[in-house]
Amino acid sequence: MVKTLAMPPQYIPDSSPQGSPGGASQAVTLEVRHLKAGYGTTPVLRDVNIKFYDTKVTAIIGPSGCGKSTMIRCLNRMHEITPGASVEGEVLLEGKSILALDPVELRRHVGMVFQRPNPFPSMSIFDNVASGLVLNGARNRPLIAERVEDSLRKAALWDEVKDKLRQPGMSLSGGQQQRLCIARALAVEPRVLLMDEPCSALDPIATARIEELMLGLKNNLTIIIVTHNMQQAARVSDYTAFMLTGELVEFTQTQQIFTKPSDKRTEDYITGRFG
Amino acid sequence: MPAVQRTAAEERIDSRSKRVTGLRERAGDRAFRWFVAGFGWMIIALAVMVGLQLAVGSQLTWTKLGAPFLWKSDWDPVAEKFGALPFIYGTLVSSALALLIAIPLGVGSAIFLAELAPRRVSDACTFLIELLAAVPSVILGLMGIFLLVPAVRSVEPTLTKFLGFLPLFRGVPYGVGLLTAGLILSIMILPFITVITREVLLAVPRSLKEAMLALGATHWETVVGVSLPYARSGIAGAVFLSLGRALGETMAVTMVIGNTPKISWSLLDPSYSMAAVIANELTEAVGDLHLSSLIAIGLTLFAITVVINGLARLMIYRVTRRGAAA
């Protein structure tokens, strides 16, 4: 989008030292400011500040329960659909507060891929990918077909399914289902793709394919991936954020965080001393 | 093995008690198995015997009148003319009418209870709706006579005035008739449809609804695009169960349907149902053929309900198996 590219460099400066990797000067797609979130009276996130850059993959790592998933669920406002959920703070999508946007509108720009593959069981492969387009009001059949093919190609699934587009999405293998879900999210051409442990239910080969896919996709997307797997974070991401008990401990270039982390807790975590 | 000193007597007691408990358990198990297996078979035998008894009791009708009994439409016990069609028609039309009213109402309220209402409100409402299912049908029949029939009678002229171009809404406003029977039946089956549909909607996996929402669907689009298709088989099962109940319902229908063995296009005209004619005429049937024909109607009704319930089971089996696999 033009808006992102035209963003003045002054827009990027540090508002907080913790949430900005050194030396970066790319366009910011999503900026999180003083984000606090929780369920009922239990706080999960305590004042998180972070920025996500265009055409980069950002990995969020940390032990279970540190608030990784809650954080990315705040980015497309899926957190607030949980009964009793609370959110405070600001999230800016290309400079605009997402709280001012209609959540329905927001989610068309910020797509999501879940932990377990969840294709719609009542729909065919084609209809699964087309579902987001149809929700957006697309009615032109040839155009939809074109976008479906395009999305399936981007998700590296087209060759495997092109002859059985009418079969149910559930007939595919787990890894294929997850790529189908990625294609479904890509079909509406989001600006940001959130991936919540997308490979945790998959075998190593399927995982490798998805990682490979992410490297190709980031050319025109902002990808944010939550992962438990530190090797995965090291392999696919440009930036890595380490979270612990609802706080962002360290956020910097991936290479740096895995070679010389500046925080002792990060070092302990990545060297396997806890977590 | 560390040697533990045991006296011979101890050994003997030990082994005997082991043997005794072992034996007793096995004997108990076996007895229990026969016992419950007997109960199980008894239920199956009961169902088969009901069918058999009905077949035996109606033999005279089948030999004398044959299959045309099912599609002849005159019923005159004095002239010994028997045809079951008016009753089959009355039963099927009143039940269909009941479904037509109860399905949108029931599914709609189930969507509200499962998707929109706060859990506490939803549970409280569900409890009340289940209570509605426990109201004895004779009470609903009474309400039908005292409240519904006059109400329908006062509305019928308006229906005729505005919808009289349809053959469905012509005729004399008696108040009793197919329309009233359909209304009473819809009230009786509404709780089943609502409660079961709510259950299946609540069983829709959260991950699917979230997937839909994350694509930018509204709440309503999520219900229509994901929840209802997923719950489809379960809802169909609920509808079939309700239909089975509506077909067999006797008391409330007898009280409001008008008890006239006549086939008419109009929903305002009095009609008759299979269950109602059996209840009304069985005690007064003097002729053998009359009695036998009533039992033949019973057999027909039994066959229809068995088929409907079989379909319902199949649907529910399909939905639970898919649920287990997911």
Side-chain angles (χ1 to χ4, degrees):
Chain A
M1 239 180 240
V2 183
K3 187 170 234 159
T4 319
L5 299 173
M7 203 88 71
Q10 304 90 283
Y11 181 67
I12 290 136
D14 270 352
S15 54
S16 72
Q18 60 156 332
S20 181
S25 62
Q26 289 99 1
V28 175
T29 325
L30 266 176
E31 180 174 359
V32 174
R33 286 183 187 162
H34 303 293
L35 185 67
K36 296 186 186 89
Y39 299 96
T41 51
T42 321
V44 178
L45 294 179
R46 312 155 199 267
D47 198 28
V48 172
N49 294 282
I50 191 167
K51 285 172 185 168
F52 299 103
Y53 299 94
D54 196 24
T55 70
K56 297 287 181 241
V57 176
T58 305
I60 303 173
I61 60 170
S64 296
C66 69
K68 310 183 293 285
S69 289
T70 304
M71 179 162 89
I72 71 162
R73 287 171 65 90
C74 285
L75 302 182
N76 64 347
R77 295 182 64 183
M78 289 292 282
H79 174 65
E80 62 200 67
I81 66 168
T82 311
S86 61
V87 199
E88 250 181 82
E90 224 179 352
V91 180
L92 303 174
L93 174 66
E94 289 166 354
K96 275 184 288 183
S97 169
I98 65 166
L99 288 172
L101 285 171
D102 181 6
V104 168
E105 181 67 25
L106 169 71
R107 289 173 198 149
R108 289 173 189 184
H109 297 297
V110 183
M112 191 166 198
V113 175
F114 295 81
Q115 197 166 349
R116 298 193 149 272
N118 52 2
F120 301 127
S122 56
M123 294 184 196
S124 66
I125 293 170
F126 183 93
D127 289 340
N128 258 288
V129 183
S131 54
L133 296 169
V134 175
L135 283 174
N136 267 318
R139 291 290 173 270
N140 182 342
R141 298 297 299 176
L143 193 75
I144 293 176
E146 197 180 297
R147 286 281 280 277
V148 167
E149 178 178 341
D150 191 41
S151 310
L152 284 168
R153 279 188 194 284
K154 279 189 201 155
L157 191 60
W158 175 252
D159 291 331
E160 291 156 61
V161 301
K162 64 181 175 204
D163 300 320
K164 48 176 184 178
L165 291 172
R166 290 287 153 212
Q167 283 180 30
M170 299 296 276
S171 65
L172 300 173
S173 72
Q176 288 174 324
Q177 286 186 20
Q178 193 63 304
R179 276 180 281 144
L180 179 64
C181 294
I182 293 174
R184 183 174 68 188
L186 292 175
V188 291
E189 299 190 327
R191 295 287 306 118
V192 181
L193 187 63
L194 308 174
M195 304 178 103
D196 189 358
E197 297 180 40
C199 302
S200 64
L202 304 181
D203 65 65
I205 295 168
T207 302
R209 296 212 61 172
I210 293 201
E211 288 177 4
E212 197 181 317
L213 188 60
M214 289 169 67
L215 295 176
L217 287 176
K218 71 174 182 180
N219 290 328
N220 40 16
L221 260 179
T222 303
I223 297 180
I224 303 170
I225 176 174
V226 162
T227 178
H228 263 297
N229 180 334
M230 280 178 280
Q231 284 75 36
Q232 182 170 59
R235 283 192 298 263
V236 300
S237 68
D238 302 292
Y239 296 102
T240 297
F242 171 60
M243 288 181 69
L244 194 62
T245 59
E247 278 167 44
L248 181 65
V249 174
E250 191 166 349
F251 176 44
T252 182
Q253 271 144 340
T254 298
Q255 213 186 351
Q256 196 183 340
I257 210 167
F258 283 105
T259 49
K260 34 181 193 319
S262 56
D263 196 290
K264 179 78 173 69
R265 294 170 291 176
T266 316
E267 194 183 335
D268 286 350
Y269 183 72
I270 60 174
T271 53
R273 238 163 277 169
F274 78 95
Chain B
M1 222 165 115
V4 179
Q5 280 300 109
R6 306 179 76 172
T7 65
E10 262 177 356
E11 292 270 0
R12 208 166 53 233
I13 290 167
D14 193 50
S15 72
R16 193 177 60 197
S17 73
K18 213 181 257 167
R19 200 176 63 230
V20 168
T21 50
L23 252 183
R24 205 176 54 207
E25 257 171 32
R26 253 179 292 152
D29 269 5
R30 197 174 301 144
F32 184 69
R33 202 166 71 211
W34 284 111
F35 218 56
V36 290
F39 288 156
W41 282 107
M42 205 137 59
I43 290 171
I44 296 168
L46 265 174
V48 173
M49 298 252 268
V50 168
L52 264 172
Q53 273 299 315
L54 287 171
V56 169
S58 59
Q59 211 178 11
L60 186 63
T61 301
W62 302 117
T63 48
K64 258 198 156 167
L65 304 173
F69 170 74
L70 291 175
W71 55 81
K72 276 192 157 164
S73 59
D74 31 33
W75 181 267
D76 188 348
V78 182
E80 296 244 299
K81 278 181 172 171
F82 299 102
L85 196 61
F87 310 108
I88 299 176
Y89 176 82
T91 298
L92 292 182
V93 172
S94 58
S95 300
L97 205 58
L99 287 184
L100 216 62
I101 301 166
I103 291 173
L105 219 59
V107 172
S109 46
I111 291 174
F112 169 74
L113 291 174
E115 300 276 345
L116 302 173
R119 194 55 193 257
R120 213 177 284 173
V121 175
S122 171
D123 284 345
C125 285
T126 307
F127 177 69
L128 290 177
I129 294 167
E130 278 168 352
L131 273 188
L132 189 60
V135 175
S137 65
V138 68
I139 306 234
L140 283 173
L142 269 182
M143 302 250 194
I145 287 178
F146 289 122
L147 302 172
L148 200 57
V149 169
V152 171
R153 194 185 293 135
S154 64
V155 172
E156 276 177 349
T158 325
L159 276 177
T160 314
K161 194 171 154 198
F162 290 105
L163 295 167
F165 59 90
L166 295 167
L168 293 177
F169 298 103
R170 278 179 207 157
V172 188
Y174 295 110
V176 294
L178 279 174
L179 183 62
T180 321
L183 283 169
I184 277 280
L185 280 176
S186 70
I187 295 170
M188 300 188 69
I189 63 176
L190 188 61
F192 291 93
I193 295 185
T194 310
V195 171
I196 300 176
T197 304
R198 171 182 175 265
E199 284 309 314
V200 288
L201 283 177
L202 286 177
V204 176
R206 205 185 145 79
S207 70
L208 289 180
K209 293 194 229 174
E210 288 195 345
M212 198 69 172
L213 287 172
L215 278 177
T218 60
H219 199 148
W220 167 244
E221 286 165 336
T222 308
V223 170
V224 174
V226 171
S227 300
L228 286 180
Y230 189 87
R232 203 165 38 191
S233 312
I235 296 173
V239 167
F240 275 108
L241 277 183
S242 313
L243 182 57
R245 194 186 148 115
L247 291 171
E249 174 50 36
T250 312
M251 205 57 221
V253 173
T254 311
M255 289 163 92
V256 299
I257 200 169
N259 299 338
T260 312
K262 187 179 80 175
I263 297 177
S264 160
W265 269 107
S266 176
L267 299 179
L268 310 186
D269 279 345
S271 182
Y272 221 151
S273 78
M274 292 195 264
V277 71
I278 297 172
N280 282 336
E281 295 189 8
L282 198 65
T283 48
E284 294 150 25
V286 279
D288 285 343
L289 191 60
H290 188 192
L291 187 64
S292 162
S293 298
L294 288 173
I295 298 174
I297 291 179
L299 182 63
T300 315
L301 181 57
F302 182 68
I304 294 177
T305 25
V306 164
V307 168
I308 300 266
N309 272 308
L311 285 175
R313 277 285 134 217
L314 201 69
M315 292 266 185
I316 290 171
Y317 169 72
R318 273 183 50 203
V319 80
T320 45
R321 198 185 43 177
R322 194 180 59 190

